[in-house]
Amino acid sequence: MALQNKNILLGVTGGIAAYKSVELLRLLKKAGANVNVIMTDSAQKFVGKTTFEVLSENPVLSDLFFDTESSVKHIDLATSADAAIIAPATANSAAKLARGIADDALSTTLLAVTCPVMICPSMNTDMYQNIRVQRNLDILERDGWHILDPDSGVLACKTVGAGRLPDPDFIFDRVKAMLTKKDLKGKKILVSAGPTVEAIDPVRFVSNHSSGKMGYAVAGAAEKRGGQVTLVSGPVNLEPPVGVTCIDVETCEEMAVQMTANLDQADIIVKVAAVADYKPINPKTHKIKKKGDKKDIAISMGENPDILRLIGEKKTKNQFLVGFAAETDDLEKNALLKMKKKNLDMIAANLVGSPDSGFKADTNKVKLFFRDGSSFDIPLMGKDKVADILLDQIIARFNT
Ligand code: PMT
């Protein structure tokens, strides 16, 4: 949503990583942005202009005097831009931008922008660490531009160290964060996500189908909105969202310990995790062997603590507590019951059992219920968008 219909200027300068900007452009377009690409002469030695023109569906600006139908095209682009990204940014381009030199289409246009700017330096490690380059990046940062630190690894010049352009996905994520309103600034958000896993023996366990996608989306969206986010996560196959403190747990007991340890500092608690209500009593320390006698075996299960209920009992009047309810039937009735029993300010009722909503899906459909009796429907959409709307609703109520 942060990028829908936004005018983005993508500056590409002459580095081997210029090819990664093609993928970045694709991600920006997919998110609904209108992208205008400006290339330096040396950038065109690495990737052709046509590639950017076809994918951006806009002419590429590279020469102030020959490329354009308008003599002030660069000013039009600068004034209409919602954000500018320079990826990759060479040492030379950073130097020119820091000193206000305007001797080509990119540096001239960037002198006229008033929107947020992100610089993604990418170069040889010694170059990157050079005091002059660092000084220029420091100037740009102090001027209010965002500097995205390069990754470390093996570079094209075979050096091992800092200087690699981060992956397009990562740059894209940070551009979204740059454009997101910081309405959670100064707030601490505690989120739980994923399943819990309860051992039967060293090989087998009891768990559920939670992929962690919904909880990770909430944590990532809260971080982009300026929140200080702690995510307590059961075992999932997801990268922790950028800028989020992630604490890995396995069992309900471990999740309870970590949620309780981080509870006092939290302003908003969102419990998305699918916690196992029961766990095997006395899990075996050795693998249970198959006897082959065709007889059933029984596993005795004991009740796990209800973490959300414990938090509901402890929460102060300044904390906002949100639960999720995964239901296969009687959605509203069951969700309202849980909200009352667990002393929640809000519950997200999640009908599960269909392939496009609930567990594992990339999309979700939920209905929010509030303590004051009101409700709010979030129709089927991507979990990222559901997370943002959920946070809109929390913030609107938390602030009152
Ligand atoms: O992870 P995904 O694949 O993206 O799927 C998302 C989801 C379906 C897991 C998520 O949207 C969801 O509905 N989460 C809640 C799942 C759940 O366990 O619901 P519940 O009705 O059993 O529990 C209600 C609430 O109590 C939940 O906030 C749960 O975290 C909490 N709880 C439950 C049991 C327990 N022992 N301790 C708890 O804290």
Side-chain angles (χ1 to χ4, degrees):
M1 276 189 283
L3 284 157
Q4 185 74 41
N5 299 325
K6 290 285 189 303
N7 289 321
I8 307 293
L9 277 184
L10 176 59
V12 186
T13 70
I16 185 67
Y19 75 95
K20 288 190 183 175
S21 302
V22 176
E23 176 60 10
L24 176 61
L25 165 61
R26 212 187 53 76
L27 293 170
L28 293 166
K29 287 289 290 179
K30 200 169 152 209
N34 173 43
V35 187
N36 281 285
V37 179
I38 307 179
M39 297 179 83
T40 60
D41 286 345
S42 41
Q44 292 170 72
K45 304 262 195 306
F46 291 92
V47 182
K49 216 165 148 177
T50 317
T51 308
F52 286 102
E53 259 167 7
V54 172
L55 290 174
S56 70
E57 302 172 276
N58 278 320
V60 167
L61 184 68
S62 60
D63 187 318
L64 285 177
F65 301 100
F66 296 105
D67 274 350
T68 67
E69 63 283 359
S70 152
S71 55
V72 287
K73 175 76 179 163
H74 61 295
I75 301 296
D76 296 343
L77 289 179
T79 46
S80 63
D82 294 297
I85 313 150
I86 319 301
T90 57
N92 183 48
S93 61
K96 287 201 291 186
L97 296 171
R99 303 293 157 171
I101 293 170
D103 64 353
D104 60 12
L106 182 62
S107 53
T108 308
T109 308
L110 280 166
L111 265 191
V113 299
T114 53
C115 62
V117 180
M118 181 180 287
I119 303 281
C120 309
S122 170
M123 61 200 77
N124 161 273
T125 307
D126 291 334
M127 256 184 181
Y128 175 64
Q129 287 168 348
N130 187 294
I131 184 91
R132 292 167 198 85
V133 173
Q134 287 301 316
R135 194 184 298 135
N136 290 329
L137 293 174
D138 196 44
I139 289 172
L140 292 170
E141 189 160 38
R142 277 190 277 119
D143 285 350
W145 288 11
H146 300 252
I147 311 294
L148 197 69
D149 290 341
D151 279 350
S152 291
V154 184
L155 307 180
C157 55
K158 308 279 187 285
T159 312
V160 179
R164 200 162 64 183
L165 187 70
D167 285 342
D169 280 339
F170 183 84
I171 303 176
F172 176 71
D173 184 84
R174 292 301 85 195
V175 173
K176 272 200 290 185
M178 184 171 80
L179 286 176
T180 303
K181 197 169 140 203
K182 301 289 178 255
D183 49 8
L184 281 174
K185 196 168 165 50
K187 297 281 178 291
K188 294 200 169 85
I189 329 291
L190 178 60
V191 183
S192 77
T196 62
V197 166
E198 315 289 341
I200 297 171
D201 67 16
V203 178
R204 302 153 181 119
F205 56 81
V206 176
S207 189
N208 59 65
H209 293 297
S210 173
S211 63
K213 287 178 187 170
M214 190 63 245
Y216 276 54
V218 172
E223 187 275 338
K224 287 189 183 64
R225 295 169 85 137
Q228 195 179 320
V229 185
T230 302
L231 172 63
V232 179
S233 174
V236 296
N237 287 317
L238 299 173
E239 286 294 321
V242 181
V244 166
T245 304
C246 194
I247 303 170
D248 293 327
V249 295
E250 296 240 325
T251 64
C252 169
E253 298 272 3
E254 288 171 11
M255 186 172 276
V257 168
Q258 292 302 334
M259 290 297 288
T260 313
N262 287 282
L263 183 61
D264 286 352
Q265 306 93 304
D267 298 297
I268 297 166
I269 304 111
V270 189
K271 195 132 192 333
V272 195
V275 185
D277 288 316
Y278 293 91
K279 65 173 179 187
I281 299 171
N282 299 327
K284 301 282 177 268
T285 50
H286 59 274
K287 184 181 172 190
I288 301 168
K289 293 275 182 279
K290 185 177 168 184
K291 289 195 181 128
D293 57 6
K294 302 241 166 26
K295 286 193 185 144
D296 295 342
I297 63 159
I299 298 167
S300 298
M301 305 278 281
E303 209 174 337
N304 258 330
D306 189 324
I307 307 169
L308 190 56
R309 192 169 181 164
L310 294 174
I311 296 176
E313 282 163 10
K314 283 188 182 167
K315 91 175 181 84
T316 66
K317 64 176 178 15
N318 296 326
Q319 291 179 313
F320 196 91
L321 181 59
V322 181
F324 268 65
E327 303 293 342
T328 49
D329 38 30
D330 283 337
L331 185 69
E332 179 161 348
K333 192 173 137 224
N334 288 328
L336 289 175
L337 214 66
K338 281 179 185 168
M339 180 161 71
K340 193 155 180 250
K341 208 163 77 181
K342 304 192 188 201
N343 190 27
L344 310 179
D345 297 293
M346 170 178 146
I347 192 155
N350 201 167
L351 194 64
V352 294
S354 83
D356 56 2
S357 175
F359 293 110
K360 293 200 252 185
D362 289 330
T363 47
N364 210 2
K365 181 173 183 260
V366 299
K367 185 163 184 173
L368 309 179
F369 295 97
F370 305 94
R371 200 190 259 276
D372 63 6
S374 58
S375 64
F376 187 91
D377 264 308
I378 306 183
L380 190 71
M381 59 179 78
K383 281 181 174 167
D384 285 357
K385 289 187 180 142
V386 171
D388 255 321
I389 297 175
L390 184 101
L391 289 173
D392 287 344
Q393 293 296 318
I394 294 174
I395 292 163
R397 280 161 174 91
F398 183 76
N399 288 337
T400 55

